Amino acid sequence: MNPIIESMNNYAQANRWSFDGGPVRGLTSGQLKFPTIWHQPLALTGKIGRREGYLTYKLSFLLLEKGGNHTALEKENVREGLEKHALGMIHTLENHERVLNVRLISCLPTESALTHYGEIALTVTIEADILYCMPLNHA
């Protein structure tokens, strides 16, 4: 399993979050349980090394919390909590033995709900460098 997805799943389980993924349009195709971590497909953006080295992945994920009739201050407090969870997830990822480096690119609140649930969401984009080793081909 890719260490990025493995770390996110471990964080979700440890913090009792639902964990799922796919394109954003998939959010509306099923039942969401809040809070939810929704990861979009990984994008391989770089590679260094021939048989050993590291791969650079870019990933965007959504942190979704149940919406409702929140005041502007309450929404801001929820967003602040989501930011803390985003940083916690990044910390968990940084501690994976195969992860060399994690860069937070952005952490942006969504302008409006993405589904009919009226959730509060934060879109987080990161890049991570992952160690790899390719097996030698024997003739």
Side-chain angles (χ1 to χ4, degrees), residues 102-130:
V102 180
R103 292 172 294 286
L104 174 64
I105 295 174
S106 65
C107 192
L108 301 169
T110 57
E111 298 271 329
S112 59
L114 302 169
T115 70
H116 64 279
Y117 294 106
E119 75 286 337
I120 299 170
L122 190 70
T123 302
V124 181
T125 303
I126 62 168
E127 276 190 339
D129 300 324
I130 309 297

PDB file of all heavy atoms in Angstrom, residues 102-130:
ATOM      1  N   VAL A 102       7.522  15.966   3.443  1.00  0.00           N
ATOM      2  CA  VAL A 102       6.137  16.337   3.153  1.00  0.00           C
ATOM      3  C   VAL A 102       6.065  17.858   3.102  1.00  0.00           C
ATOM      4  O   VAL A 102       6.572  18.532   3.988  1.00  0.00           O
ATOM      5  CB  VAL A 102       5.155  15.810   4.220  1.00  0.00           C
ATOM      6  CG1 VAL A 102       3.727  16.216   3.899  1.00  0.00           C
ATOM      7  CG2 VAL A 102       5.254  14.306   4.352  1.00  0.00           C
ATOM      8  N   ARG A 103       5.459  18.363   2.051  1.00  0.00           N
ATOM      9  CA  ARG A 103       5.283  19.807   1.902  1.00  0.00           C
ATOM     10  C   ARG A 103       3.790  20.119   1.846  1.00  0.00           C
ATOM     11  O   ARG A 103       3.069  19.530   1.052  1.00  0.00           O
ATOM     12  CB  ARG A 103       5.955  20.296   0.619  1.00  0.00           C
ATOM     13  CG  ARG A 103       7.458  20.210   0.660  1.00  0.00           C
ATOM     14  CD  ARG A 103       8.104  20.510  -0.681  1.00  0.00           C
ATOM     15  NE  ARG A 103       7.818  19.544  -1.723  1.00  0.00           N
ATOM     16  CZ  ARG A 103       8.341  18.317  -1.805  1.00  0.00           C
ATOM     17  NH1 ARG A 103       9.157  17.893  -0.869  1.00  0.00           N
ATOM     18  NH2 ARG A 103       8.043  17.518  -2.796  1.00  0.00           N
ATOM     19  N   LEU A 104       3.359  21.037   2.699  1.00  0.00           N
ATOM     20  CA  LEU A 104       1.977  21.520   2.654  1.00  0.00           C
ATOM     21  C   LEU A 104       1.916  22.607   1.597  1.00  0.00           C
ATOM     22  O   LEU A 104       2.597  23.618   1.698  1.00  0.00           O
ATOM     23  CB  LEU A 104       1.549  22.076   4.016  1.00  0.00           C
ATOM     24  CG  LEU A 104       0.180  22.739   4.067  1.00  0.00           C
ATOM     25  CD1 LEU A 104      -0.929  21.740   3.785  1.00  0.00           C
ATOM     26  CD2 LEU A 104      -0.036  23.388   5.430  1.00  0.00           C
ATOM     27  N   ILE A 105       1.138  22.371   0.572  1.00  0.00           N
ATOM     28  CA  ILE A 105       1.007  23.346  -0.507  1.00  0.00           C
ATOM     29  C   ILE A 105      -0.102  24.333  -0.185  1.00  0.00           C
ATOM     30  O   ILE A 105       0.063  25.533  -0.318  1.00  0.00           O
ATOM     31  CB  ILE A 105       0.754  22.638  -1.855  1.00  0.00           C
ATOM     32  CG1 ILE A 105       1.983  21.803  -2.206  1.00  0.00           C
ATOM     33  CG2 ILE A 105       0.431  23.641  -2.939  1.00  0.00           C
ATOM     34  CD1 ILE A 105       1.817  20.947  -3.422  1.00  0.00           C
ATOM     35  N   SER A 106      -1.247  23.798   0.244  1.00  0.00           N
ATOM     36  CA  SER A 106      -2.348  24.693   0.593  1.00  0.00           C
ATOM     37  C   SER A 106      -3.325  24.004   1.527  1.00  0.00           C
ATOM     38  O   SER A 106      -3.397  22.784   1.592  1.00  0.00           O
ATOM     39  CB  SER A 106      -3.079  25.176  -0.662  1.00  0.00           C
ATOM     40  OG  SER A 106      -3.706  24.092  -1.311  1.00  0.00           O
ATOM     41  N   CYS A 107      -4.075  24.838   2.239  1.00  0.00           N
ATOM     42  CA  CYS A 107      -5.100  24.373   3.165  1.00  0.00           C
ATOM     43  C   CYS A 107      -6.213  25.415   3.086  1.00  0.00           C
ATOM     44  O   CYS A 107      -6.154  26.445   3.744  1.00  0.00           O
ATOM     45  CB  CYS A 107      -4.490  24.288   4.553  1.00  0.00           C
ATOM     46  SG  CYS A 107      -5.472  23.443   5.766  1.00  0.00           S
ATOM     47  N   LEU A 108      -7.191  25.162   2.210  1.00  0.00           N
ATOM     48  CA  LEU A 108      -8.195  26.168   1.891  1.00  0.00           C
ATOM     49  C   LEU A 108      -9.611  25.713   2.255  1.00  0.00           C
ATOM     50  O   LEU A 108     -10.017  24.613   1.874  1.00  0.00           O
ATOM     51  CB  LEU A 108      -8.169  26.475   0.389  1.00  0.00           C
ATOM     52  CG  LEU A 108      -6.853  26.991  -0.184  1.00  0.00           C
ATOM     53  CD1 LEU A 108      -6.901  26.991  -1.699  1.00  0.00           C
ATOM     54  CD2 LEU A 108      -6.579  28.379   0.344  1.00  0.00           C
ATOM     55  N   PRO A 109     -10.371  26.572   2.939  1.00  0.00           N
ATOM     56  CA  PRO A 109     -11.779  26.232   3.189  1.00  0.00           C
ATOM     57  C   PRO A 109     -12.565  26.322   1.885  1.00  0.00           C
ATOM     58  O   PRO A 109     -12.252  27.133   1.016  1.00  0.00           O
ATOM     59  CB  PRO A 109     -12.242  27.290   4.181  1.00  0.00           C
ATOM     60  CG  PRO A 109     -11.272  28.401   4.061  1.00  0.00           C
ATOM     61  CD  PRO A 109      -9.986  27.840   3.535  1.00  0.00           C
ATOM     62  N   THR A 110     -13.554  25.455   1.739  1.00  0.00           N
ATOM     63  CA  THR A 110     -14.405  25.521   0.554  1.00  0.00           C
ATOM     64  C   THR A 110     -15.391  26.673   0.728  1.00  0.00           C
ATOM     65  O   THR A 110     -15.776  27.024   1.839  1.00  0.00           O
ATOM     66  CB  THR A 110     -15.175  24.207   0.324  1.00  0.00           C
ATOM     67  OG1 THR A 110     -15.940  23.924   1.490  1.00  0.00           O
ATOM     68  CG2 THR A 110     -14.228  23.060   0.037  1.00  0.00           C
ATOM     69  N   GLU A 111     -15.781  27.240  -0.392  1.00  0.00           N
ATOM     70  CA  GLU A 111     -16.702  28.384  -0.375  1.00  0.00           C
ATOM     71  C   GLU A 111     -18.125  27.965   0.008  1.00  0.00           C
ATOM     72  O   GLU A 111     -18.844  28.699   0.653  1.00  0.00           O
ATOM     73  CB  GLU A 111     -16.729  29.038  -1.755  1.00  0.00           C
ATOM     74  CG  GLU A 111     -15.390  29.595  -2.186  1.00  0.00           C
ATOM     75  CD  GLU A 111     -15.191  31.017  -1.740  1.00  0.00           C
ATOM     76  OE1 GLU A 111     -16.183  31.749  -1.649  1.00  0.00           O
ATOM     77  OE2 GLU A 111     -14.035  31.385  -1.486  1.00  0.00           O
ATOM     78  N   SER A 112     -18.513  26.771  -0.448  1.00  0.00           N
ATOM     79  CA  SER A 112     -19.863  26.285  -0.165  1.00  0.00           C
ATOM     80  C   SER A 112     -19.811  24.772  -0.030  1.00  0.00           C
ATOM     81  O   SER A 112     -18.801  24.137  -0.317  1.00  0.00           O
ATOM     82  CB  SER A 112     -20.820  26.694  -1.288  1.00  0.00           C
ATOM     83  OG  SER A 112     -20.372  26.168  -2.521  1.00  0.00           O
ATOM     84  N   ALA A 113     -20.919  24.195   0.394  1.00  0.00           N
ATOM     85  CA  ALA A 113     -20.988  22.745   0.574  1.00  0.00           C
ATOM     86  C   ALA A 113     -20.805  22.039  -0.766  1.00  0.00           C
ATOM     87  O   ALA A 113     -21.227  22.519  -1.812  1.00  0.00           O
ATOM     88  CB  ALA A 113     -22.329  22.368   1.191  1.00  0.00           C
ATOM     89  N   LEU A 114     -20.156  20.878  -0.723  1.00  0.00           N
ATOM     90  CA  LEU A 114     -19.910  20.088  -1.922  1.00  0.00           C
ATOM     91  C   LEU A 114     -20.993  19.045  -2.156  1.00  0.00           C
ATOM     92  O   LEU A 114     -21.081  18.481  -3.238  1.00  0.00           O
ATOM     93  CB  LEU A 114     -18.547  19.391  -1.804  1.00  0.00           C
ATOM     94  CG  LEU A 114     -17.352  20.328  -1.602  1.00  0.00           C
ATOM     95  CD1 LEU A 114     -16.111  19.531  -1.222  1.00  0.00           C
ATOM     96  CD2 LEU A 114     -17.107  21.134  -2.859  1.00  0.00           C
ATOM     97  N   THR A 115     -21.799  18.774  -1.143  1.00  0.00           N
ATOM     98  CA  THR A 115     -22.849  17.763  -1.231  1.00  0.00           C
ATOM     99  C   THR A 115     -24.151  18.334  -0.670  1.00  0.00           C
ATOM    100  O   THR A 115     -24.190  19.456  -0.175  1.00  0.00           O
ATOM    101  CB  THR A 115     -22.478  16.499  -0.419  1.00  0.00           C
ATOM    102  OG1 THR A 115     -22.531  16.827   0.974  1.00  0.00           O
ATOM    103  CG2 THR A 115     -21.096  15.978  -0.779  1.00  0.00           C
ATOM    104  N   HIS A 116     -25.166  17.502  -0.693  1.00  0.00           N
ATOM    105  CA  HIS A 116     -26.461  17.903  -0.128  1.00  0.00           C
ATOM    106  C   HIS A 116     -26.465  17.872   1.401  1.00  0.00           C
ATOM    107  O   HIS A 116     -27.431  18.268   2.026  1.00  0.00           O
ATOM    108  CB  HIS A 116     -27.572  17.004  -0.681  1.00  0.00           C
ATOM    109  CG  HIS A 116     -27.420  15.573  -0.288  1.00  0.00           C
ATOM    110  ND1 HIS A 116     -26.569  14.709  -0.950  1.00  0.00           N
ATOM    111  CD2 HIS A 116     -27.995  14.853   0.695  1.00  0.00           C
ATOM    112  CE1 HIS A 116     -26.632  13.520  -0.384  1.00  0.00           C
ATOM    113  NE2 HIS A 116     -27.493  13.577   0.614  1.00  0.00           N
ATOM    114  N   TYR A 117     -25.373  17.416   2.023  1.00  0.00           N
ATOM    115  CA  TYR A 117     -25.295  17.352   3.479  1.00  0.00           C
ATOM    116  C   TYR A 117     -25.050  18.720   4.108  1.00  0.00           C
ATOM    117  O   TYR A 117     -25.238  18.886   5.310  1.00  0.00           O
ATOM    118  CB  TYR A 117     -24.171  16.403   3.924  1.00  0.00           C
ATOM    119  CG  TYR A 117     -24.412  14.959   3.575  1.00  0.00           C
ATOM    120  CD1 TYR A 117     -23.709  14.354   2.544  1.00  0.00           C
ATOM    121  CD2 TYR A 117     -25.327  14.189   4.292  1.00  0.00           C
ATOM    122  CE1 TYR A 117     -23.911  13.026   2.232  1.00  0.00           C
ATOM    123  CE2 TYR A 117     -25.535  12.865   3.990  1.00  0.00           C
ATOM    124  CZ  TYR A 117     -24.825  12.282   2.954  1.00  0.00           C
ATOM    125  OH  TYR A 117     -25.025  10.967   2.643  1.00  0.00           O
ATOM    126  N   GLY A 118     -24.583  19.676   3.321  1.00  0.00           N
ATOM    127  CA  GLY A 118     -24.293  21.003   3.856  1.00  0.00           C
ATOM    128  C   GLY A 118     -23.073  21.023   4.758  1.00  0.00           C
ATOM    129  O   GLY A 118     -23.000  21.798   5.703  1.00  0.00           O
ATOM    130  N   GLU A 119     -22.096  20.178   4.466  1.00  0.00           N
ATOM    131  CA  GLU A 119     -20.911  20.033   5.302  1.00  0.00           C
ATOM    132  C   GLU A 119     -20.004  21.266   5.256  1.00  0.00           C
ATOM    133  O   GLU A 119     -20.100  22.099   4.368  1.00  0.00           O
ATOM    134  CB  GLU A 119     -20.105  18.802   4.872  1.00  0.00           C
ATOM    135  CG  GLU A 119     -19.327  18.976   3.581  1.00  0.00           C
ATOM    136  CD  GLU A 119     -20.175  18.950   2.328  1.00  0.00           C
ATOM    137  OE1 GLU A 119     -21.281  18.396   2.347  1.00  0.00           O
ATOM    138  OE2 GLU A 119     -19.724  19.506   1.318  1.00  0.00           O
ATOM    139  N   ILE A 120     -19.124  21.322   6.235  1.00  0.00           N
ATOM    140  CA  ILE A 120     -18.045  22.305   6.246  1.00  0.00           C
ATOM    141  C   ILE A 120     -16.805  21.543   5.803  1.00  0.00           C
ATOM    142  O   ILE A 120     -16.505  20.466   6.331  1.00  0.00           O
ATOM    143  CB  ILE A 120     -17.856  22.912   7.648  1.00  0.00           C
ATOM    144  CG1 ILE A 120     -19.130  23.633   8.074  1.00  0.00           C
ATOM    145  CG2 ILE A 120     -16.658  23.847   7.680  1.00  0.00           C
ATOM    146  CD1 ILE A 120     -19.150  24.066   9.523  1.00  0.00           C
ATOM    147  N   ALA A 121     -16.085  22.072   4.817  1.00  0.00           N
ATOM    148  CA  ALA A 121     -14.974  21.318   4.237  1.00  0.00           C
ATOM    149  C   ALA A 121     -13.714  22.160   4.124  1.00  0.00           C
ATOM    150  O   ALA A 121     -13.766  23.382   3.966  1.00  0.00           O
ATOM    151  CB  ALA A 121     -15.374  20.792   2.856  1.00  0.00           C
ATOM    152  N   LEU A 122     -12.606  21.461   4.197  1.00  0.00           N
ATOM    153  CA  LEU A 122     -11.293  22.058   4.017  1.00  0.00           C
ATOM    154  C   LEU A 122     -10.561  21.220   2.977  1.00  0.00           C
ATOM    155  O   LEU A 122     -10.510  19.992   3.093  1.00  0.00           O
ATOM    156  CB  LEU A 122     -10.544  22.011   5.354  1.00  0.00           C
ATOM    157  CG  LEU A 122      -9.250  22.770   5.477  1.00  0.00           C
ATOM    158  CD1 LEU A 122      -9.521  24.272   5.481  1.00  0.00           C
ATOM    159  CD2 LEU A 122      -8.546  22.382   6.768  1.00  0.00           C
ATOM    160  N   THR A 123     -10.023  21.868   1.949  1.00  0.00           N
ATOM    161  CA  THR A 123      -9.248  21.173   0.927  1.00  0.00           C
ATOM    162  C   THR A 123      -7.771  21.349   1.242  1.00  0.00           C
ATOM    163  O   THR A 123      -7.283  22.469   1.371  1.00  0.00           O
ATOM    164  CB  THR A 123      -9.538  21.743  -0.480  1.00  0.00           C
ATOM    165  OG1 THR A 123     -10.932  21.624  -0.747  1.00  0.00           O
ATOM    166  CG2 THR A 123      -8.758  21.002  -1.537  1.00  0.00           C
ATOM    167  N   VAL A 124      -7.078  20.222   1.391  1.00  0.00           N
ATOM    168  CA  VAL A 124      -5.664  20.231   1.734  1.00  0.00           C
ATOM    169  C   VAL A 124      -4.895  19.612   0.571  1.00  0.00           C
ATOM    170  O   VAL A 124      -5.272  18.551   0.068  1.00  0.00           O
ATOM    171  CB  VAL A 124      -5.402  19.423   3.023  1.00  0.00           C
ATOM    172  CG1 VAL A 124      -3.935  19.457   3.401  1.00  0.00           C
ATOM    173  CG2 VAL A 124      -6.280  19.936   4.160  1.00  0.00           C
ATOM    174  N   THR A 125      -3.832  20.279   0.146  1.00  0.00           N
ATOM    175  CA  THR A 125      -2.984  19.760  -0.922  1.00  0.00           C
ATOM    176  C   THR A 125      -1.559  19.657  -0.400  1.00  0.00           C
ATOM    177  O   THR A 125      -1.041  20.617   0.188  1.00  0.00           O
ATOM    178  CB  THR A 125      -3.036  20.671  -2.162  1.00  0.00           C
ATOM    179  OG1 THR A 125      -4.398  20.797  -2.581  1.00  0.00           O
ATOM    180  CG2 THR A 125      -2.223  20.088  -3.309  1.00  0.00           C
ATOM    181  N   ILE A 126      -0.969  18.475  -0.604  1.00  0.00           N
ATOM    182  CA  ILE A 126       0.400  18.229  -0.134  1.00  0.00           C
ATOM    183  C   ILE A 126       1.214  17.601  -1.251  1.00  0.00           C
ATOM    184  O   ILE A 126       0.669  17.079  -2.227  1.00  0.00           O
ATOM    185  CB  ILE A 126       0.424  17.283   1.092  1.00  0.00           C
ATOM    186  CG1 ILE A 126      -0.150  15.911   0.732  1.00  0.00           C
ATOM    187  CG2 ILE A 126      -0.280  17.895   2.282  1.00  0.00           C
ATOM    188  CD1 ILE A 126       0.095  14.838   1.769  1.00  0.00           C
ATOM    189  N   GLU A 127       2.522  17.650  -1.089  1.00  0.00           N
ATOM    190  CA  GLU A 127       3.446  16.857  -1.886  1.00  0.00           C
ATOM    191  C   GLU A 127       4.277  16.048  -0.912  1.00  0.00           C
ATOM    192  O   GLU A 127       4.632  16.542   0.163  1.00  0.00           O
ATOM    193  CB  GLU A 127       4.378  17.739  -2.722  1.00  0.00           C
ATOM    194  CG  GLU A 127       3.796  18.178  -4.022  1.00  0.00           C
ATOM    195  CD  GLU A 127       4.820  18.846  -4.922  1.00  0.00           C
ATOM    196  OE1 GLU A 127       5.866  19.321  -4.438  1.00  0.00           O
ATOM    197  OE2 GLU A 127       4.543  18.895  -6.124  1.00  0.00           O
ATOM    198  N   ALA A 128       4.590  14.813  -1.278  1.00  0.00           N
ATOM    199  CA  ALA A 128       5.386  13.956  -0.411  1.00  0.00           C
ATOM    200  C   ALA A 128       6.389  13.173  -1.246  1.00  0.00           C
ATOM    201  O   ALA A 128       6.069  12.711  -2.343  1.00  0.00           O
ATOM    202  CB  ALA A 128       4.482  12.991   0.363  1.00  0.00           C
ATOM    203  N   ASP A 129       7.608  13.058  -0.714  1.00  0.00           N
ATOM    204  CA  ASP A 129       8.654  12.263  -1.340  1.00  0.00           C
ATOM    205  C   ASP A 129       8.727  10.919  -0.623  1.00  0.00           C
ATOM    206  O   ASP A 129       8.909  10.871   0.599  1.00  0.00           O
ATOM    207  CB  ASP A 129      10.005  12.979  -1.240  1.00  0.00           C
ATOM    208  CG  ASP A 129      10.000  14.333  -1.935  1.00  0.00           C
ATOM    209  OD1 ASP A 129       9.340  14.445  -2.984  1.00  0.00           O
ATOM    210  OD2 ASP A 129      10.657  15.259  -1.430  1.00  0.00           O
ATOM    211  N   ILE A 130       8.560   9.838  -1.402  1.00  0.00           N
ATOM    212  CA  ILE A 130       8.469   8.484  -0.864  1.00  0.00           C
ATOM    213  C   ILE A 130       9.641   7.659  -1.372  1.00  0.00           C
ATOM    214  O   ILE A 130       9.889   7.601  -2.586  1.00  0.00           O
ATOM    215  CB  ILE A 130       7.148   7.807  -1.310  1.00  0.00           C
ATOM    216  CG1 ILE A 130       5.941   8.699  -1.030  1.00  0.00           C
ATOM    217  CG2 ILE A 130       7.011   6.423  -0.702  1.00  0.00           C
ATOM    218  CD1 ILE A 130       5.684   9.010   0.392  1.00  0.00           C
TER     219      ILE A 130
END
